């Protein structure tokens, strides 16, 4: 049964929120939810579960694939609920790569691009700050118990709760992680474009956010270990700012671990922005343009079947 919900603020004072301001507020809150649950699940896996006695030792993490599945499904749910929160107001981009791609190929206003991106970064920072507030004790306990290199008392493991870094097998190289971020984000935008394209097999019953979450989970399971599958500049940069302010220093900026990687901070920004453009262009080249032509012709053959040919009477020759 529908119930009329009165506004918390007088309608006369809400009018200016009906436009860009309201959309930016939605992007902020949606990204805040995304990071609160996304970084929250990593905090559970890295610091809270070991520190609470639910692992073999206070520093035991990632003993099996199930640990990684916890994180991939956690981030998937984070995306789902972030999109459900903001979708009705702003479309729930929650990702500068999505915003840029939509401006390039879907008519999204260029005047909104920078305000959306700023709102997403601020929302990501705020979400990371909430996770740090809630898990501060668990993070401190892990850092205290851990051995090995530390920066200002913090470890790279606890830094990974908030932002990403490349796997050691890249030996500090740039191209491997950069290509990884381009590929992962290209898949993300390709799948988002397919899911929201009403000319394609569009998602019904408001299940779009759930399927976008599944897409993020698939990317994490298939491409996550290389560089933490940021696939979102705001998701990485906002929490990275928080960690720098909270004392992780060089782990955050320039994003370095001695002998492993250095100057990494820009890769989760540039890679996703480039990958998002590539992904949506690929979708439109292979699928979107075909659907457009078919809709203009008014002919929609069944998938996998060619258009029927006209039978020619032999007497016409």
């Amino acid at each position: 049964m529908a119930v009329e919900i009165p506004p918390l603020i007088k309608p006369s004072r809400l009018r200016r929120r009906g436009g860009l301001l309201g959309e930016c507020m939605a992007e902020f809150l949606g990204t805040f939810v995304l990071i609160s649950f996304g970084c929250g699940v990593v905090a559970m896996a890295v610091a809270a579960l070991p520190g609470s006695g639910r692992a073999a030792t206070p520093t035991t993490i990632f003993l099996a694939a199930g640990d990684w599945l916890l994180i991939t499904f956690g981030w998937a749910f984070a995306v789902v609920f972030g999109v459900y929160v903001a979708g009705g107001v702003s479309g729930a981009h929650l990702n500068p790569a999505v915003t840029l791609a939509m401006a390039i190929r879907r008519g999204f206003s260029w005047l909104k691009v920078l305000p959306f991106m700023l709102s997403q970064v601020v929302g990501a920072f705020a979400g990371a700050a909430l996770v740090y507030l809630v898990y501060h004790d668990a993070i401190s306990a892990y850092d205290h118990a851990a051995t090995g290199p530390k920066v200002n008392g913090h470890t790279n493991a606890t830094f990974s709760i908030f932002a990403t870094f490349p796997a050691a097998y890249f030996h500090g190289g740039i191209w491997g992680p950069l290509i990884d971020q381009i590929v992962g984000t290209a898949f993300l935008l390709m799948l988002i474009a397919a899911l929201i394209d009403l000319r394609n097999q569009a998602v019904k019953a408001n299940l779009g956010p759930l399927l976008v979450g599944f897409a993020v989970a698939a990317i994490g399971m298939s491409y996550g270990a290389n560089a933490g599958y940021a696939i979102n500049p705001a998701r990485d940069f906002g929490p990275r700012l928080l960690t720098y302010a909270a004392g992780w220093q060089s782990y955050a900026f320039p994003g370095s671990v001695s002998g492993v990687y250095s100057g990494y901070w820009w890769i989760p920004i540039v890679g996703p922005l480039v990958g998002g453009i590539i992904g949506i262009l690929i979708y439109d080249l292979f699928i979107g343009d075909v659907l457009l032509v078919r809709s203009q012709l008014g002919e929609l053959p069944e998938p996998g079947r060619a258009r029927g040919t006209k039978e020619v009477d032999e007497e016409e020759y």
Side-chain angles (χ1 to χ4, degrees):
M1 183 175 67
V3 178
E4 183 176 352
I5 303 174
L8 292 173
I9 301 174
K10 293 181 179 180
S12 60
R13 297 182 181 179
L14 282 174
R15 288 175 183 170
R16 64 177 182 172
R17 300 190 193 178
L20 179 59
L21 177 59
E23 293 176 352
C24 289
M25 291 174 65
E27 286 295 303
F28 167 86
L29 185 59
T31 311
F32 173 82
V33 170
L34 166 66
I35 299 303
S36 295
F37 283 92
C39 289
V41 75
V42 186
M44 278 283 291
V46 171
L49 290 175
S52 65
R54 293 177 174 88
T57 74
T59 57
T60 298
I61 57 175
F62 295 123
L63 280 182
D67 297 318
W68 188 251
L69 289 178
L70 170 66
I71 289 177
T72 54
F73 277 112
W75 274 106
F77 290 136
V79 171
V80 170
F81 294 117
V83 175
Y84 272 126
V85 165
V89 175
S90 67
H93 293 181
L94 315 186
N95 183 340
V98 174
T99 298
L100 181 61
M102 293 302 167
I104 288 175
R105 288 298 302 167
R106 292 297 184 274
F108 183 73
S109 173
W110 282 100
L111 295 176
K112 296 181 179 181
V113 169
L114 288 181
F116 265 49
M117 289 182 175
L118 178 61
S119 301
Q120 293 154 2
V121 171
V122 175
F125 180 93
L130 178 66
V131 171
Y132 184 64
L133 174 66
V134 172
Y135 285 108
H136 176 269
D137 291 340
I139 291 170
S140 296
Y142 183 95
D143 283 339
H144 180 75
T147 58
K150 296 182 182 180
V151 173
N152 198 27
H154 293 296
T155 63
N156 193 44
T158 54
F159 169 76
S160 72
I161 291 171
F162 300 97
T164 63
F165 62 90
Y169 47 71
F170 288 119
H171 303 291
I174 290 175
W175 288 108
L178 183 61
I179 291 171
D180 171 81
Q181 287 300 291
I182 291 172
V183 170
T185 316
F187 274 121
L188 176 66
L189 265 295
M190 191 188 311
L191 296 173
I192 289 175
L195 291 170
I196 67 174
D197 192 343
L198 297 179
R199 302 165 303 179
N200 206 334
Q201 300 183 56
V203 179
K204 303 295 192 301
N206 197 28
L207 290 177
L210 180 62
L211 272 296
V212 172
F214 284 175
V216 172
I219 294 167
M221 292 176 192
S222 298
Y223 295 96
N226 277 337
Y229 75 110
I231 59 175
N232 180 339
R235 170 265 174 277
D236 189 86
F237 187 67
R240 191 177 290 270
L241 287 173
L242 183 280
T243 56
Y244 184 80
W248 275 266
Q249 297 178 352
S250 61
Y251 285 146
F253 293 101
S256 300
V257 171
S258 179
V260 182
Y261 62 89
S262 62
Y264 182 77
W265 70 272
W266 62 273
I267 291 178
I269 297 175
V270 174
L273 292 175
V274 173
I277 296 170
I278 292 174
I280 204 162
L281 289 175
I282 289 175
Y283 176 81
D284 282 347
L285 179 63
F286 284 86
I287 303 296
D289 288 355
V290 176
L291 293 171
L292 176 62
V293 171
R294 285 184 172 183
S295 65
Q296 290 174 342
L297 294 174
E299 300 177 1
L300 295 173
E302 295 180 11
R305 297 188 62 181
R307 186 183 303 119
T309 56
K310 179 181 177 181
E311 294 183 3
V312 180
D313 194 327
E314 294 180 357
E315 295 180 359
E316 292 181 3
Y317 288 93

